[in-house]
Amino acid sequence: MTVSLLPPSPAAFAKATWGDVVPFFDDLAARSLEPAMIAGWLREWSRLEELVTEAAARAMIAYTVDTGNQEKEADHLRFSTEVLPRMEERSVELARRLLESGYSTSALSTTLARFRTQIEIFRDENVPIFAELEEHSARYQRITGSMTAEWDGVERPLPQLQPFLKSTDRAVRERAFRAASQPYVQKRGELAGLFNRMYELRAQAARNAGFANFRDYIFPAKFRFDYTPADCERFHEAIERSVVPAVERVLEARRRRLGVDVLRPWDLSVDPYRDKPLRPFGDAGELVNKARQVFERVDPALGGEFQTMIDEGLLDLESRKGKAPGGYCETLHFQGRPFIFMNAVGLVEDVMTLLHEAGHAFHAFAAHPLPLIWQRHPGSEAAELASMSMEFLAAPYLVEPTGFFNSGDARRAWLEHLEDVLISLAHIASVDAFQTWIYTSGQGNDPSARDQAWLRLRSRFERGVDWSGLEQERVARWYRQLHIFMYPFYYIEYGIAQIGALQIWRNSLNDPQAAVARYRKALGLGAVQTLPEIYCAAGARLTFDADAIGELVQLVETHIEQVRAELPRS
């Protein structure tokens, strides 16, 4: 069988079972790996994985845009619980044959390192475990995607309450906060039970692979070759030392500006410099059109890539009932295209979310020319560097006539973003510390102990907000964090990448064109270099050093003060 005999497109696998896919892997496994044939064999294996993973990605996209559709859920689950786990099993077998052949090139060094690690930790008995975990992840999306709240007689998806959290009427904000929290409070028992099962499965998978706990398993599983659990703890300490006090200063300025005795959780989103919330766009069409013009100004090539996404229908941006929560960018590896999903409701945060996901999209475009699928997708630390850096690189171009804001509103939006960078770093540290506690404390299967650990860690990293009388709502915050359920330990990457993105922003303040050029060069590396090398190419350094992080926090605070000085005093 040759590449030409593979199906011509992922559509051929849209309704595939594992039985439909396995003959292609059987054929590859049966081939004799003569040195002259290995390069072609690799290309065919890569093309097969492109076809199947894109079919799976399209099924996942179809489900997340319509979580109430049982046929779409069944298609998604067939891939995530049957096809993809079995494909991983066979891919490990093929990787073992490749390594045994001794074949190697410089462009494959990082891929081969990943293959070795996959082989070392793979266990047959974990295949059904991870399949079951996918079923539970789909259940989590089904539960949270169906959550609604009644607002003035209208049943609304929870994301549609976000604009009311920006109301200048404090009573409206409080009502919106409580309404958005209540479904998670009510579902706490069901979600806790779901997480208990997911915890047990992950702990068993780690033991099967010879690890003491799931945290120790996840580092090699996520190919974290360039930093350690100890480095993550250094990051937590650096955030506590440098960022948490800065956030307290940000929140104290907010409290004074709002003229309240204490800040409550419903006071954190309102703009203290305006008598009504910023509305940077009216609908998804306006969001897309303005974003295209912004990207065109960052770099014409990026504007062209975003136009391709518009033309090919690769955007689903507006909040609707039945959509899964959150946002993502998924890569369609066969087509060489990205797809962006989000829940926009007309806020500044939606603009920033689109900039973020577009950074992932530009990464997918840049890496696709690399010949093999494994060479294109780096670790999340590099992927999030692409997305978070775009938030900064695009910021100077958000001003009208081609952007979203007039000059005054642009300053307010930029201030909101800079403050959110600091607040998010503290949140990231708390989420990663919480996940570390869950999987290493020995109490991660105890719902009450988990909730209390969350409260302790939030008290460590989140100061300056009065949560008195709101313990249930504060606990509910971690049940909203889908990463903890669906993508365990996927969160420190945001913090690592934010520190890298701040360095790229610092470079852009001196030479924006050079900063964008280095950024795009790094995206084009895909996964063919190490994480420190990718960061270096982008103009940043992979660091967990408290002093280095403190310098960047100081830079952010300096710019916050500069922007505040330009805004109205009263």
Side-chain angles (χ1 to χ4, degrees), residues 448-461:
S448 296
R450 284 198 303 261
D451 292 349
Q452 290 306 308
W454 173 255
L455 292 174
R456 287 194 302 273
L457 287 165
R458 293 302 268 188
S459 296
R460 175 185 173 190
F461 291 105

Side-chain angles (χ1 to χ4, degrees), residues 442-558:
Q443 301 179 68
N445 60 343
D446 182 333
S448 296
R450 284 198 303 261
D451 292 349
Q452 290 306 308
W454 173 255
L455 292 174
R456 287 194 302 273
L457 287 165
R458 293 302 268 188
S459 296
R460 175 185 173 190
F461 291 105
E462 183 188 50
R463 304 174 196 161
V465 180
D466 179 11
W467 284 86
S468 57
L470 297 167
E471 182 176 283
Q472 286 185 320
E473 288 81 359
R474 197 175 197 184
V475 164
R477 178 63 184 87
W478 86 258
Y479 292 95
R480 284 171 43 202
Q481 194 70 57
L482 63 86
H483 303 75
I484 298 174
F485 281 81
M486 297 176 60
Y487 311 112
F489 284 98
Y490 188 168
Y491 223 68
I492 191 68
E493 295 94 333
Y494 291 117
I496 293 169
Q498 188 66 271
I499 299 305
L502 286 169
Q503 296 174 69
I504 291 172
W505 171 52
R506 184 171 59 189
N507 298 341
S508 75
L509 297 175
N510 298 319
D511 191 338
Q513 288 186 328
V516 171
R518 294 193 70 176
Y519 165 83
R520 294 196 64 210
K521 177 183 177 182
L523 300 193
L525 294 175
V528 299
Q529 293 194 15
T530 66
L531 182 62
E533 289 169 338
I534 293 170
Y535 270 53
C536 182
R541 180 168 65 94
L542 180 68
T543 181
F544 301 85
D545 181 72
D547 291 337
I549 292 173
E551 290 177 8
L552 294 167
V553 171
Q554 188 174 25
L555 175 67
V556 174
E557 285 202 274
T558 297

Side-chain angles (χ1 to χ4, degrees), residues 170 173 251-252 254-264 267:
R170 201 181 193 197
R173 297 199 303 270
L251 295 179
E252 174 58 20
R254 168 174 286 270
R255 184 197 65 77
R256 291 197 305 268
R257 181 75 189 186
L258 290 174
V260 296
D261 294 333
V262 294
L263 281 181
R264 300 287 271 167
D267 296 323

